[in-house]
Amino acid sequence: MKRFSLRVFIALLILLLATISCQHENEKSDGPVFVTVKVRLNSRNESMGPSFVLSSGVASAFVSAVPDSFYPFTPSTDLGDGYDEQLMNLPDETVSLTVPLDTPIRIAKVTYSTVLTLAEMLSGATQPSYIGSSDAFTISAGTTSKSVEVVMQAISGGNLMGEGVQGQALSLSGIVTTFAGSGAYNHADGIGIAADLTEPHDVCTDGSYLYVVDKGFDESYIRRISLATGAVDTIAGNGTSGYADGTGTGAQFFAPAGITTDGSNLYIADQENNRIRQVVIATGVTTTIAGNTTPGTNDGTGSSAQFDWPTGITLVGGDLYVADMNNNLIRKVNIATQVVETFAGDGTPAFLEGTGTGAQFDTPHDITTDGTNLYVVDQFNHRIRKIVISTQVVSTLAGDGTNASTDGTGTGAQLNTPEGITTDGTYIYFTDWGVSTVQPPEQSVLRRTEISTGITQTIAGGSATGGNCDGNDTWCYNGTGTDVKFQWAHDLTTDGTYLYLADFYNHRIRRIE
């Protein structure tokens, strides 16, 4: 009996020492404490909910607890030790994840269209069909379940980046058609070519819709076009050019020129108002992030900052980059803090390679990104410039500064007053005036530069031999390659499959297949 009691005592003592040791290790640890929480995902976008996902033949989904500091999330992100990654139960959209206590996190969801293991997903075995994330939140002690709202975006073959969808090089035949707009200078919602646009200047996409800044002579709207149906509607602006925050038609813009999206919000370079605006897509609520009516170069926060004709805009993480055209600057705007700073350029309208404010631009008109670099239409330098985001080093990707339109490699190519720009991550696509020598250019062209080689090619536009868009237009021809006519082609975007181009003076959105 005594021997049994001794064994029990020794066992209890070992258990006690182990418990003390574990407590001591926990006290010494500087890392977060993790708990398992059952997460139920509630998509804000009903068309991206579980019923739609299942009906589309999607068989598996990958969900992760992501440190807020890692946002925006990509499937290949190394989350570090402790952060959990699990396959989701699709029918009820629930998953059990290990998450840190009292640490800001997001729930990231990537839904795939084929049956894959988690290891295959992490290795990038296929591209996501849908991708989304929640807002940042924290889990406190005692919480065992959490309902989380996740914004899902329809992404076919790539990731939302800048103002479009990237992830694979576009395979284009050069066929050009009219996607929306009758050709009449007017404002009327409708389906495809039954809708009327005034003067579409820029376009972006979230993979489900195109969003267009439609700036007429004295009227300004934000339009939305369904990629599936071609239906055109108006989500903000009442036509009267001016300045007013508000909801839907209660908001006013003055010649909005640039637009980009994170899938939940639109960010707009409101040119004549010298402001950067935000529109919540779901509600149409419009607010001002930065800028005031007075043109200037002041860095600062919110309305204390100044712009002079902000024209192009793109998005990297939580930062907007703006082509501040009349200031000859590239500006950086932090969305959360509304802090504006000068990122590149010294304000002198000239050409100079360099770093940050040691570089010079002449009328930067548009801007895009692949997440690592910015690409700038340096309009009156007749060049495409590249800015490495991490170092702010500015160089030339294409163009020798000569006002002409000649294909070639790097500075062996010549550009004639480039206008708009986008990228699929492999190529830069841009518009320029082609052989036109006067404004408005009536023989605009669409060109492409390969990022890795600098090879520039003309892929559409410039000819008068194609077929009329509607049978009676002088400057709108659909067709293939150079047997196409645009009239002052402005900015463009890609949904990962096609290019969509804002054909300004033809009052149309054109699609390049």
Side-chain angles (χ1 to χ4, degrees):
M1 185 72 178
K2 288 182 178 179
R3 185 175 299 172
F4 177 78
S5 298
L6 180 61
R7 288 176 179 172
V8 172
F9 174 78
I10 292 173
L12 291 173
L13 180 61
I14 292 172
L15 180 61
L16 176 62
L17 290 174
T19 301
I20 293 172
S21 175
C22 286
Q23 289 177 341
H24 182 60
E25 288 300 318
N26 285 339
E27 289 171 358
K28 291 193 300 179
S29 175
D30 294 327
V33 177
F34 290 85
V35 298
T36 299
V37 176
K38 185 176 182 179
V39 176
R40 178 180 294 278
L41 303 179
N42 303 308
S43 178
R44 293 182 204 171
N45 185 344
E46 292 182 1
S47 67
M48 289 292 105
S51 297
F52 178 86
V53 170
L54 290 174
S55 68
S56 299
V58 174
S60 57
F62 163 55
V63 179
S64 180
V66 181
D68 184 41
S69 58
F70 281 30
Y71 183 77
F73 172 79
T74 59
S76 60
T77 300
D78 181 6
L79 302 175
D81 294 335
Y83 287 92
D84 204 6
E85 304 152 335
Q86 296 292 335
L87 290 175
M88 182 180 65
N89 183 341
L90 272 173
D92 62 3
E93 289 213 319
T94 61
V95 65
S96 292
L97 292 171
T98 299
V99 301
L101 285 177
D102 302 320
T103 301
I105 61 170
R106 295 174 186 258
I107 296 298
K109 175 184 173 187
V110 182
T111 303
Y112 286 77
S113 58
T114 57
V115 177
L116 296 172
T117 66
L118 180 59
E120 287 172 329
M121 288 183 181
L122 291 173
S123 66
T126 188
Q127 293 288 341
S129 296
Y130 312 99
I131 189 167
S133 69
S134 71
D135 292 329
F137 65 92
T138 58
I139 295 292
S140 57
T143 303
T144 58
S145 63
K146 174 75 174 176
S147 291
V148 178
E149 296 267 286
V150 175
V151 177
M152 295 299 293
Q153 302 144 18
I155 304 297
S156 177
N159 298 315
L160 191 64
M161 177 66 68
E163 65 291 319
V165 177
Q166 299 181 27
Q168 59 186 15
L170 299 181
S171 178
L172 300 174
S173 64
I175 296 173
V176 178
T177 57
T178 299
F179 187 70
S182 67
Y185 176 88
N186 190 27
H187 174 264
D189 292 339
I191 306 294
I193 60 173
D196 292 335
L197 306 174
T198 56
E199 290 174 337
H201 191 278
D202 197 6
V203 59
C204 71
T205 184
D206 59 10
S208 297
Y209 294 91
L210 297 176
Y211 300 94
V212 182
V213 285
D214 199 10
K215 52 176 286 190
F217 296 121
D218 55 2
E219 50 188 313
S220 301
Y221 305 93
I222 309 302
R223 314 291 292 277
R224 176 174 59 187
I225 308 174
S226 169
L227 289 173
T229 67
V232 180
D233 67 343
T234 303
I235 62 173
N238 57 23
T240 301
S241 291
Y243 169 69
D245 287 338
T247 300
T249 57
Q252 290 180 332
F253 305 85
F254 196 170
I259 189 168
T260 191
T261 184
D262 61 8
S264 300
N265 306 286
L266 303 173
Y267 300 97
I268 296 160
D270 195 2
Q271 193 177 69
E272 293 273 6
N273 279 321
N274 294 307
R275 289 175 165 95
I276 305 302
R277 314 286 292 280
Q278 179 186 55
V279 179
V280 180
I281 294 172
T283 64
V285 172
T286 300
T287 54
T288 300
I289 295 177
N292 59 67
T293 303
T294 304
T297 61
N298 287 347
D299 289 339
T301 301
S303 60
S304 68
Q306 293 177 316
F307 301 88
D308 191 352
W309 265 47
T311 303
I313 189 167
T314 195
L315 177 67
V316 182
D319 294 314
L320 298 166
Y321 293 87
V322 179
D324 195 3
M325 192 172 85
N326 283 355
N327 280 327
N328 300 297
L329 300 173
I330 305 302
R331 314 290 290 281
K332 177 180 176 180
V333 184
N334 183 271
I335 297 170
T337 65
Q338 300 184 345
V339 171
V340 179
E341 57 185 307
T342 298
F343 189 73
D346 68 0
T348 304
F351 171 74
L352 182 66
E353 311 281 40
T355 300
T357 56
Q360 292 176 333
F361 303 87
D362 190 351
T363 316
H365 191 273
D366 199 13
I367 187 169
T368 192
T369 185
D370 59 10
T372 302
N373 306 298
L374 302 172
Y375 301 95
V376 179
V377 167
D378 196 3
Q379 191 169 58
F380 290 140
N381 277 321
H382 311 291
R383 291 174 167 95
I384 303 297
R385 311 288 290 280
K386 171 184 170 181
I387 308 175
V388 180
I389 296 173
S390 61
T391 64
Q392 297 173 251
V393 171
V394 181
S395 59
T396 296
L397 180 67
D400 67 355
T402 303
N403 185 9
S405 187
T406 305
D407 292 344
T409 300
T411 56
Q414 295 175 325
L415 316 183
N416 183 2
T417 320
E419 288 274 350
I421 192 168
T422 194
T423 181
D424 59 16
T426 301
Y427 295 95
I428 297 297
Y429 301 89
F430 64 95
T431 57
D432 78 12
W433 288 18
V435 298
S436 301
T437 57
V438 295
Q439 189 184 57
E442 294 173 331
Q443 289 180 284
S444 297
V445 294
L446 172 63
R447 307 179 73 183
R448 179 179 77 177
T449 299
E450 188 173 23
I451 295 172
S452 62
T453 65
I455 295 173
T456 297
Q457 301 169 298
T458 300
I459 59 177
S463 173
T465 62
N468 285 353
C469 289
D470 60 10
N472 57 18
D473 278 1
T474 303
W475 296 108
C476 184
Y477 293 115
N478 287 323
T480 302
T482 55
D483 288 336
V484 169
K485 272 216 169 181
F486 308 106
Q487 187 172 198
W488 208 354
H490 268 266
D491 298 336
L492 63 165
T493 190
T494 174
D495 64 354
T497 303
Y498 305 118
L499 290 171
Y500 296 87
L501 182 148
D503 198 359
F504 189 72
Y505 265 5
N506 277 322
H507 319 297
R508 291 173 168 93
I509 301 298
R510 313 283 290 278
R511 185 172 79 178
I512 299 88
E513 301 177 9

